Amino acid sequence: MRSLSNTLALLKQFRTHPVDPSRESHLSEFEAFGPNPGQLEAKVHVPSRVIPRPALVVVLHGCTQTASSYDTGSGWSRLADDYGFVVLFPQQTRSNNANLCFNWFQPNDMARGDGEALSIRQMVETAEARYDIDTSRVYITGLSAGGAMANVMLATYPEVFAGGAIIAGLPYGTAHTIPQAFDRMRAQGIPDTNTLQKLLRSASKTTGPWPAISVWQGTQDMTVNSANADAIVDQWLGVVETRGSPRVDQPTSRLERRVWVNANGEERLQLYRVKGMGHGTPIDAKSGYGRAGPYMLDVGISSTEEIAKSFGVAAPSLRQVNPGVATDVAIPKARSNDNPSPKGPADGIRRTIEDALRAAGLMR
């Protein structure tokens, strides 16, 4: 058992940042979605021009963030405007977690049919009916605690999701207390591959088909050790149908991508490593999607766009297009960068965060 003083020291990493009120107006309230045993809130974005039977993307914010601040940083609602899909944003409350972290490690919140996991399932079910969603095109993504919670949802309700993207998250079922959660974040006590895969299989009675999974991780993440990304991949390799060794490519000098495909050549599991990036969601402010800020890192790579492409809700990149296969995804008009963001190295962002924590007396 980690000592109380050490646990409190680790908790210093999580302190709320002030939220710009102007960022809170671009999403709509999503209410009356069921009994809500996890006592969560939710926001939604429905484009003014939504395609018939649209896809649904569920987006989970990280600690110290809100649905709106994460959307502003990641650009999901702006991407939805261009492609006509619906975005659902579950939101944590301070009564559940003072730092607005989803409780991915609490036994009653990470189990199928209970707590926060069931609340998110109820949100999805309500959104499917309310917006005439194509239920075969429901996806989920999240950052950090939100990434870990996205993995909870993929593990406990795999039949609900066609795919998921986990950014700086953690493998399912490996922690049940706050000290254990911090240990796993630092890659201490991560179970072996066999145990990881058993934990995933025991999360539901589903035997397949399983959702396609992508995992994103910065190589210099000092909050969630990159060993967790490997553990997530090992966990899902136990159930996702793959064939042979992964294909490795390098789309940019900073990005390495490993891809596992099935017998039909379809990508079922992906691991993205962003070289030199710390803890956060990789964005490319020049793309017009997203804005740099705490845990939203402008590294010239838009994970939002790449994830949306892998989900099939945005125009596929050249490496994903099969010759002769038509796509019904509309190509958006060119977007000017009318949402500029400050640029700077990731370590500058980290210094800003640390300075704020020191000012609050939560970091020495």
Side-chain angles (χ1 to χ4, degrees):
M1 176 68 69
R2 183 176 298 280
S3 69
L4 177 60
S5 61
N6 197 12
T7 299
L8 290 174
L10 289 167
L11 282 167
K12 291 178 182 178
Q13 298 175 75
F14 297 103
R15 180 68 174 177
T16 56
H17 297 277
V19 177
D20 182 351
S22 66
R23 298 185 179 184
E24 296 293 328
S25 61
H26 59 284
L27 302 180
S28 301
E29 295 292 335
F30 186 77
E31 299 175 323
F33 53 81
N36 190 17
Q39 297 299 299
L40 298 176
E41 298 174 348
K43 308 274 188 177
V44 68
H45 179 72
V46 182
S48 57
R49 291 186 296 177
V50 65
I51 66 173
R53 299 281 291 162
L56 175 69
V57 178
V58 182
V59 178
L60 301 176
H61 62 80
C63 295
T64 79
Q65 297 173 323
T66 65
S68 292
S69 66
Y70 188 77
D71 181 46
T72 297
S74 62
W76 271 106
S77 64
R78 294 173 66 83
L79 196 70
D81 286 337
D82 284 340
Y83 291 100
F85 59 89
V86 176
V87 194
L88 175 66
F89 298 86
Q91 181 169 271
Q92 186 57 282
T93 64
R94 295 201 189 280
S95 59
N96 283 345
N97 187 294
N99 293 299
L100 298 180
C101 308
F102 287 100
N103 289 311
W104 58 273
F105 53 87
Q106 296 284 9
N108 61 317
D109 286 315
M110 57 183 281
R112 183 182 177 107
D114 200 2
E116 292 179 13
L118 180 54
S119 287
I120 296 172
R121 175 66 185 105
Q122 290 170 351
M123 294 176 195
V124 171
E125 190 172 29
T126 301
E128 288 173 340
R130 194 172 290 175
Y131 307 117
D132 193 27
I133 298 295
D134 180 349
T135 58
S136 70
R137 302 179 69 211
V138 178
Y139 308 91
I140 191 166
T141 183
L143 165 68
S144 193
M149 197 67 194
N151 203 21
V152 166
M153 297 306 299
L154 292 161
T156 55
Y157 295 98
E159 76 281 6
V160 172
F161 302 99
I166 302 159
I167 306 172
L170 295 102
Y172 172 77
T174 58
H176 299 91
T177 66
I178 290 176
Q180 286 180 357
F182 279 110
D183 278 346
R184 304 304 174 263
M185 289 164 62
R186 293 194 168 188
Q188 297 173 355
I190 295 176
D192 60 37
T193 298
N194 187 51
T195 302
L196 286 169
Q197 294 177 356
K198 285 182 178 178
L199 287 168
L200 178 58
R201 291 192 193 97
S202 67
S204 76
K205 296 181 179 180
T206 301
T207 58
W210 295 87
I213 304 295
S214 67
V215 181
W216 289 74
Q217 183 71 46
T219 62
Q220 299 299 315
D221 192 331
M222 298 294 105
T223 301
V224 176
N225 188 285
S226 62
N228 284 284
D230 296 316
I232 295 169
V233 169
D234 288 343
Q235 189 169 57
W236 281 95
L237 278 172
V239 297
V240 173
E241 179 190 355
T242 60
R243 179 181 181 181
S245 300
R247 183 178 76 247
V248 182
D249 57 42
Q250 193 166 337
T252 73
S253 61
R254 295 196 65 176
L255 185 64
E256 179 189 271
R257 180 174 177 263
R258 293 178 179 267
V259 184
W260 288 259
V261 301
N262 63 14
N264 297 324
E266 299 166 330
E267 297 184 358
R268 302 302 298 163
L269 186 60
Q270 306 167 333
L271 173 59
Y272 291 81
R273 293 192 186 279
V274 185
K275 298 178 182 179
M277 189 183 78
H279 186 66
T281 293
I283 66 166
D284 179 8
K286 290 183 179 179
S287 70
Y289 302 115
R291 178 184 299 169
Y295 311 117
M296 311 303 297
L297 308 181
D298 188 357
V299 293
I301 300 164
S302 174
S303 60
T304 301
E305 287 188 276
E306 289 301 316
I307 290 167
K309 291 170 186 176
S310 71
F311 288 168
V313 300
S317 61
L318 291 177
R319 70 169 182 272
Q320 295 170 313
V321 174
N322 294 322
V325 178
T327 175
D328 60 357
V329 177
I331 306 297
K333 63 181 181 295
R335 178 189 291 280
S336 63
N337 188 12
D338 57 357
N339 187 20
S341 66
K343 294 182 68 68
D347 61 347
I349 295 172
R350 186 178 66 184
R351 283 197 300 271
T352 300
I353 297 169
E354 291 177 348
D355 288 343
L357 295 179
R358 290 189 185 97
L362 293 175
M363 179 176 283
R364 291 179 292 179

